Amino acid sequence: MSSWQPLSGTDAVIAAVDTALRTLAGASHAGRPCPGAPEPDGDLGADERRLSGSLMRVNHVGEVCAQALYSAQALAARDPVLRHQFDAAAREETDHLAWTQRRLGELGARPSLLNPLWYGGAFAIGLLAGRVGDATSLGFLVETERQVEQHLEGHLDRLPAADKASRAIVEQMRQDEARHADAAQAAGAAELPLPVRWAMRAAAKVMTVTAHRF
């Protein structure tokens, strides 16, 4: 039998604040080992290292946003069981956050300078989706994870072949995101209107293009 118990309203708010502080301070720790092994510095040329660093910065921003989204959706969820599902998925996203942050350091790259902005915007969107209703919140999660899965597939095509460490991380992330989307779909996600899905894709495009440089 699970020992999990739903948090009180005050405790849930405290947990959300703690998640934000840990995410933005770079203090997140993975619960699973990082996939693959770090590549020796000599295996990547300077241009390849810069490309990998830029792509992994974008992926790190995605995980910063994922922390904000899941935290907000858990806070707004009406069903305690659904809140637990959001929290469980967020723990895996914390692994992704820690892995991408570690890989950025190995590549000599920095996180996005705009992470506080990304976090705040994603938290507001997640809270709004959660306030509309649990089915809509799940639908938003499904669409987000499907888009992220496609985005990661694109990065697997672009990452240098020699960068096996980054590729192993991205592939594990891709598998996890697909599983999160499937779980949300099975939990009763509502299909979002097409204009909403288009708007989400447009916002994601702005974020990825900006984070690639900043």
Side-chain angles (χ1 to χ4, degrees), residues 19 22-23 28-32 59-71 85-101 141 144-145 148-149 152 172-181:
T19 296
R22 284 187 290 104
T23 300
S28 298
H29 299 283
R32 292 176 291 172
N59 292 331
H60 182 261
V61 167
E63 297 309 321
V64 168
C65 291
Q67 290 295 306
L69 286 169
Y70 276 118
S71 179
Q85 181 176 335
F86 283 132
D87 288 338
R91 284 193 290 274
E92 288 195 346
E93 299 289 352
T94 301
D95 292 344
H96 301 172
L97 182 67
W99 295 342
T100 52
Q101 181 170 312
L141 190 156
T144 298
E145 297 289 32
V148 171
E149 184 183 2
L152 293 174
Q172 184 60 59
M173 289 167 58
R174 187 193 66 79
Q175 293 177 20
D176 291 344
E177 308 300 3
R179 183 160 37 79
H180 295 165

Side-chain angles (χ1 to χ4, degrees), residues 64-213:
V64 168
C65 291
Q67 290 295 306
L69 286 169
Y70 276 118
S71 179
Q73 288 177 287
L75 190 62
R78 294 164 173 78
D79 183 353
V81 175
L82 179 58
R83 188 178 304 126
H84 181 50
Q85 181 176 335
F86 283 132
D87 288 338
R91 284 193 290 274
E92 288 195 346
E93 299 289 352
T94 301
D95 292 344
H96 301 172
L97 182 67
W99 295 342
T100 52
Q101 181 170 312
R102 168 181 165 177
R103 188 57 185 153
L104 281 173
E106 292 166 353
L107 291 165
R110 57 164 176 74
S112 172
L113 300 173
L114 302 176
N115 275 342
L117 176 64
W118 304 132
Y119 192 98
F123 190 92
I125 292 170
L127 196 62
L128 177 61
R131 292 298 185 189
V132 173
D134 287 346
T136 298
S137 188
L138 284 166
F140 183 83
L141 190 156
V142 169
E143 181 62 23
T144 298
E145 297 289 32
R146 296 299 186 209
Q147 290 186 22
V148 171
E149 184 183 2
Q150 293 175 4
H151 158 83
L152 293 174
E153 287 173 351
H155 276 200
L156 286 171
D157 290 337
R158 295 182 63 192
L159 280 166
D163 190 358
K164 294 182 174 60
S166 296
R167 296 178 67 84
I169 291 170
V170 171
E171 174 57 28
Q172 184 60 59
M173 289 167 58
R174 187 193 66 79
Q175 293 177 20
D176 291 344
E177 308 300 3
R179 183 160 37 79
H180 295 165
D182 291 342
Q185 193 75 64
E191 184 174 358
L192 299 183
L194 189 58
V196 173
R197 300 203 299 273
W198 286 344
M200 290 172 65
R201 289 184 183 277
K205 181 66 173 177
V206 171
M207 183 272 287
T208 56
V209 170
T210 305
H212 195 275
R213 297 184 59 189

Side-chain angles (χ1 to χ4, degrees), residues 3 5 102:
S3 61
Q5 295 292 329
R102 168 181 165 177

